[in-house]
Amino acid sequence: MGSDISGPRVLMRSIRALMADTLDRQARLDKIVQLIAENMVAEVCSLYVLRADSVLELYATEGLNPGSVHLAQLQLGQGLVGTIAATARPLNLSQAQDHPAFTYLPETGEEIYKSFLGVPILRAGRTLGVLVVQNKSARQYREEESEALETVAMVVAEMIAAGGLEGLQRPGVTLDLSRPVSFEGVTLSDGIGLGRVVLHEPRVVVTNLFNEHAEDEVLRLNDALAELRLSIENMLARRDIAAEGEHRAVLEAYRMFAHDRGWVRRLEEAVRNGLTAEAAVEKVQSDMRARMMHLTDPYIRERMHDFDDLANRLLRQLIGRVDGAIDEIDDAIVIARNMGAAQLLDYRRERLRGLVLEEGAATSHVVIVARALGIPVVGQVTGAVSMAENGDMAIVDGEDGQVHLRPMSDVAETYADRIDFRTRRRERYAGLRDKPCVTRDGVRIDLQMNAGLLVDLPQLAEAGAEGIGLFRTELQFMVASTMPRASDQQRLYTAVLDAAGDKPVTFRTLDVGGDKLLPYLAQLQEENPALGYRAVRLALDRPGLMRTQLRALMKAAAGRELRIMFPMITDAAELRAARELVDLERAHLHRFGHESPKAVKIGAMIEVPGLLYQLDEVMALLDFASVGSNDLFQFFNAVDRGNPRVANRFSDLSPAFLRALKDIVDAGHRHDVPVTLCGEMAGRPIATMALVAIGFRSISMAPPSIGPVKSMLLELDVGAVRAIVERHLASQAPMADLKAELADFARAGGVPI
């Protein structure tokens, strides 16, 4: 038994004609299984569809009891059909009943059939159902028959995705494509967003499935492959490959995959079986993704992203770029594998409600920008791209690190209530905006904000900040595709100073290198970039870069006070060298008749532990100092704060770290140098309690944190909390972390944290 070699092509022509007919949904399904059975000389062909409750329901059959349609059911993983759906792998058996997963459904009457071929119905790697053929005689189905069945399964998948089975299910039953899905990720930016999905790089929707002439389509496929390979070679040959967002290792992998004969052979087979080139790419990639998703080897699973991106590039080569749906959606939840900071800024802020990243880390450029824009972000959400469709309802929970796709109505209502609560709380904080930040026992605390882009500046007034304690000048460089000119830099700094008015602004000089790579600034790969060639180390080696920035800052601050802060200072010699560059630029401005700032204050970021043993020498060279708590904590504990396996083992409220911070504050007092703390620590009310207790009187944080921190400080008795903290710092056996005791103190005293 079996079809001849032309069978798959004949079958695809028949399916194509059928899809053009004006049949009702059930009749079309019935006709599909009938055509498959005839073409493959099979006595049975059955179509099972996966429901949202993980049940596979028989939707159509040729050869089994027709009365079992919509009644015969299998759980995901149950029987041969359930096993195919759960593993996303075909089964080709000559003796089906000998397989350990075989399950007999009495209502179908299938016990007399020995041979069995079943394939998953896949779309973007998701299993939507199973397609099966059976015969009474024991036989092994040929590879081209399996390929033909997989090709038809793809057509059925598109039918399901397009709503072609709507109305066939019983009331209360929904199909898997529309079922609610929840993900656990990592909170990267606080907040909650409700809206509809916009895929950052939407899958190319293949609408033209069937080819007219197979050989012409093979030529078209090979031409696109040649263009794809050429584009990869061109990127590899460029010196600035980082400008495309690709690292060399990834491009090398792309090159290897693009020349893989097995992949190309499967694509050509799918075309010769009747598909267009783009439909073939989607089918083969969906098959590959489904198989790789079930592999346990983490390296191979990681390569899945490379395969996906390569297939997407090939699809775009064949069809052309597809624009996102952002302009049609007013409440967009953008979902992406990853994206650059500049790409996020391409979206209109007023339409954005949240961002979901399959990758992403707290220090990612895009996350820094999203935080500045006040957009909730959840990262490390594996599978979000393939499970989402443009227009799906979605919730981004930046408080608990959760993402909900197509949420049930009660879940959506709960989150709507939470958003309403957050809105009322923000309104309460807004009422404190103009109130001086003085504790209950009369201690004045200076609350400043961190910024880095022009979009941050309106929050200076909205949050009630008393100045900008950290302006990250590198963000202008990171979101640009080429080096910002001196005039561009000066224009930005002037706008910042104008917006701040009489409030102080502290400009941190260019802090790039490490994880902040600029695409147009060639840098060598480093094994330990956080400890490598970055910040002031790089700037002092490139004095032209540093002097251009200093000149732009001084021109912008003409007639005003200018506060310049150098990052990543490791010893006093670096600080002296940096000060010399400032003096050179001041002399340059004077020589050419430019108006100078009325005062230039020099500061340094204290974030390298080695500086703790040079505090008196360094303070003597400074007008002010700022503690970079993020990096200092990371280096102090030898812990990568982007690595959840170790970052959560250590606390910035440990006595050891608080002692180090107190030493810095005390050194500032000895030299009459004001000390501010910038970083995530400053934005947590409970951590701010400890900071104020050890002597900090100025802290700088993200604008949304100012309200909660101020609300806490207004109710705080500094003397009482100082007694608790100092007792632990002086103890020979202090607690590992003061968080619990500080929380108890706050609750007992009615201090909101």
Side-chain angles (χ1 to χ4, degrees):
M1 281 198 182
S3 58
D4 61 51
I5 196 71
S6 66
R9 288 194 288 277
V10 172
L11 175 59
M12 287 305 292
R13 280 200 294 272
S14 301
I15 295 286
R16 178 182 181 179
L18 174 63
M19 297 302 285
D21 275 359
T22 53
L23 298 171
D24 67 41
R25 292 174 167 89
Q26 188 65 54
R28 180 174 279 113
L29 289 184
D30 293 341
K31 190 65 176 171
I32 286 173
V33 295
Q34 182 187 334
L35 283 172
I36 296 169
E38 288 174 0
N39 179 269
M40 298 183 68
V41 195
E43 281 124 351
V44 170
C45 178
S46 303
L47 169 64
Y48 293 84
V49 176
L50 185 60
R51 301 189 329 208
D53 56 1
S54 296
V55 168
L56 287 147
E57 179 179 316
L58 182 64
Y59 259 60
T61 186
E62 172 71 15
L64 298 184
N65 176 10
S68 62
V69 171
H70 297 299
L71 294 177
Q73 299 175 3
L74 288 159
Q75 292 292 326
L76 190 65
Q78 178 191 9
L80 300 178
V81 171
T83 299
I84 293 166
T87 62
R89 292 170 180 257
L91 276 180
N92 188 348
L93 306 170
S94 57
Q95 293 286 350
Q97 295 181 36
D98 293 343
H99 193 282
F102 178 81
T103 298
Y104 168 54
L105 296 178
E107 63 269 27
T108 64
E110 64 181 325
E111 69 276 10
I112 60 174
Y113 302 103
K114 293 181 179 177
S115 52
F116 175 101
L117 171 62
V119 301
I121 297 170
L122 299 170
R123 186 171 190 268
R126 292 172 63 185
T127 301
L128 302 182
V130 176
L131 199 51
V132 174
V133 292
Q134 293 170 276
N135 282 89
K136 292 178 183 176
S137 61
R139 57 166 293 204
Q140 196 78 28
Y141 295 92
R142 297 197 308 276
E143 187 178 336
E144 60 265 24
E145 291 177 300
S146 180
E147 183 75 20
L149 200 59
E150 288 180 4
T151 303
V152 178
M154 177 188 169
V155 176
V156 175
E158 293 305 319
M159 275 181 62
I160 296 172
L165 305 191
E166 293 298 325
L168 296 183
Q169 64 267 40
R170 295 192 304 282
V173 173
T174 56
L175 301 186
D176 185 68
L177 194 73
S178 60
R179 71 183 171 95
V181 184
S182 294
F183 300 90
E184 289 283 343
V186 175
T187 293
L188 299 178
S189 179
D190 185 48
I192 297 174
L194 269 73
R196 289 179 290 159
V197 168
V198 171
L199 291 168
H200 173 57
E201 289 185 340
R203 287 184 298 276
V204 177
V205 178
V206 178
T207 53
N208 183 17
L209 298 175
F210 309 105
N211 71 51
E212 299 279 354
H213 304 288
E215 291 309 315
D216 289 349
E217 205 67 12
V218 169
L219 287 173
R220 183 167 160 261
L221 172 68
N222 286 324
D223 286 346
L225 280 165
E227 288 290 328
L228 176 69
R229 290 164 183 155
L230 183 62
S231 70
I232 293 169
E233 295 297 336
N234 287 340
M235 280 191 283
L236 277 163
R238 288 170 60 171
R239 292 168 58 193
D240 61 340
I241 59 169
E244 303 298 322
E246 303 289 356
H247 298 294
R248 176 163 289 275
V250 174
L251 287 173
E252 294 283 4
Y254 282 6
R255 175 159 63 183
M256 181 180 72
F257 298 149
H259 287 272
D260 182 75
R261 281 305 308 160
W263 184 55
V264 175
R265 180 180 54 78
R266 288 193 294 276
L267 291 172
E268 290 177 345
E269 281 177 0
V271 170
R272 290 196 169 97
N273 281 337
L275 291 178
T276 57
E278 51 269 33
V281 173
E282 184 169 293
K283 177 195 176 299
V284 170
Q285 183 55 21
S286 195
D287 293 347
M288 190 177 295
R289 166 169 262 274
R291 287 166 174 77
M292 293 177 79
M293 282 174 74
H294 291 84
L295 295 176
T296 55
D297 186 322
Y299 176 79
I300 295 177
R301 283 175 60 88
E302 276 301 308
R303 298 282 66 76
M304 186 167 71
H305 288 326
D306 296 343
F307 275 117
D308 276 344
D309 288 341
L310 190 70
N312 239 350
R313 285 172 184 269
L314 185 54
L315 278 173
R316 291 173 196 283
Q317 203 81 49
L318 288 160
I319 295 178
R321 179 162 294 278
V322 176
D323 294 326
I326 187 72
D327 289 330
E328 301 164 19
I329 293 181
D330 289 325
D331 53 352
I333 304 289
V334 174
I335 299 184
R337 291 210 167 82
N338 216 335
M339 64 193 298
Q343 292 173 303
L344 182 66
L345 292 172
D346 286 339
Y347 293 98
R348 289 165 60 183
R349 170 63 188 95
E350 67 272 16
R351 294 179 183 268
L352 284 172
R353 296 293 179 271
L355 175 63
V356 178
L357 300 170
E358 288 204 354
E359 298 167 15
T363 53
S364 299
H365 306 164
V366 67
V367 174
I368 292 170
V369 172
R371 214 178 281 138
L373 293 169
I375 299 167
V377 184
V378 176
Q380 309 295 313
V381 188
T382 305
V385 171
S386 65
M387 293 294 278
E389 298 284 341
N390 272 327
D392 280 348
M393 289 300 297
I395 298 170
V396 179
D397 184 345
E399 291 181 345
D400 298 329
Q402 294 183 326
V403 175
H404 304 279
L405 282 179
R406 301 176 289 275
M408 295 177 70
S409 57
D410 56 341
V411 174
E413 286 167 10
T414 299
Y415 274 97
D417 289 343
R418 284 177 62 181
I419 289 174
D420 186 48
F421 172 76
R422 286 175 65 93
T423 301
R424 290 199 305 273
R425 190 173 62 182
R426 275 199 306 272
E427 289 169 354
R428 189 171 74 248
Y429 294 150
L432 303 175
R433 185 174 55 200
D434 300 322
K435 192 170 184 178
C437 186
V438 180
T439 66
R440 277 172 52 191
D441 51 347
V443 178
R444 173 74 187 233
I445 308 295
D446 186 35
L447 299 183
Q448 301 192 55
M449 66 173 249
N450 302 334
L453 296 165
L454 285 174
V455 294
D456 294 323
L457 300 182
Q459 297 183 78
L460 186 60
E462 290 168 14
E466 296 180 53
I468 297 176
L470 170 64
F471 191 87
R472 302 181 178 98
T473 61
E474 65 273 5
L475 290 190
Q476 181 190 21
F477 290 74
M478 285 159 50
V479 301
S481 57
T482 58
M483 178 77 75
R485 293 173 300 183
S487 57
D488 296 331
Q489 294 180 50
Q490 181 182 339
R491 197 158 33 247
L492 171 66
Y493 306 147
T494 300
V496 173
L497 289 166
D498 288 346
D502 57 356
K503 293 183 177 180
V505 179
T506 299
F507 292 96
R508 182 174 70 186
T509 60
L510 196 57
D511 185 6
V512 294
D515 62 327
K516 302 174 189 172
L517 294 172
L518 301 182
Y520 42 82
L521 198 63
Q523 275 193 265
L524 296 173
Q525 288 286 332
E526 295 183 276
E527 201 166 310
N528 239 324
L531 305 177
Y533 192 55
R534 52 174 287 207
V536 79
R537 300 170 182 181
L538 183 152
L540 289 175
D541 280 1
R542 300 183 180 218
L545 184 66
M546 170 82 94
R547 289 187 65 176
T548 298
Q549 182 176 36
L550 291 174
R551 189 173 301 171
L553 282 165
M554 289 188 186
K555 285 183 176 180
R560 301 188 262 203
E561 179 180 279
L562 175 62
R563 295 168 61 85
I564 301 172
M565 181 163 64
F566 297 106
M568 196 76 180
I569 294 291
T570 306
D571 61 46
E574 288 177 339
L575 189 52
R576 290 191 191 95
R579 289 195 71 125
E580 285 174 10
L581 292 179
V582 174
D583 292 340
L584 285 171
E585 281 310 309
R586 291 186 82 172
H588 173 87
L589 288 181
H590 180 73
R591 188 181 317 122
F592 288 96
H594 294 288
E595 185 182 5
S596 297
K598 70 175 182 182
V600 177
K601 304 278 181 136
I602 302 296
M605 294 285 285
I606 299 177
E607 46 197 342
V608 177
L611 219 56
L612 297 174
Y613 297 91
Q614 307 172 61
L615 286 172
D616 288 313
E617 186 180 358
V618 168
M619 290 292 181
L621 297 170
L622 295 176
D623 298 304
F624 65 92
S626 186
V627 178
S629 63
N630 293 357
D631 270 338
L632 182 60
F633 176 73
Q634 175 173 248
F635 300 146
F636 189 85
N637 290 296
V639 54
D640 177 0
R641 55 196 168 97
N643 181 347
R645 300 173 95 180
V646 292
N648 297 331
R649 292 190 185 191
F650 302 91
S651 168
D652 53 15
L653 291 177
S654 69
F657 190 60
L658 289 176
R659 284 174 187 144
L661 295 179
K662 189 172 188 305
D663 285 347
I664 298 169
V665 176
D666 290 346
H669 288 154
R670 285 197 300 274
H671 292 268
D672 199 23
V673 172
V675 179
T676 299
L677 184 137
C678 306
E680 293 173 21
M681 186 180 183
R684 303 195 326 267
I686 200 162
T688 300
M689 287 173 62
L691 294 174
V692 170
I694 61 175
F696 281 94
R697 296 296 176 262
S698 174
I699 49 179
S700 190
M701 64 202 75
S705 299
I706 291 177
V709 168
K710 190 173 192 178
S711 176
M712 179 276 295
L713 288 170
L714 292 173
E715 300 299 325
L716 184 68
D717 184 325
V718 176
V721 76
R722 183 193 300 124
I724 295 171
V725 174
E726 288 183 348
R727 184 177 74 250
H728 280 291
L729 297 191
S731 171
Q732 295 299 307
M735 297 174 67
D737 179 350
L738 274 69
K739 184 176 180 180
E741 185 157 351
L742 291 175
D744 289 342
F745 167 81
R747 277 192 292 270
V751 179
I753 56 170

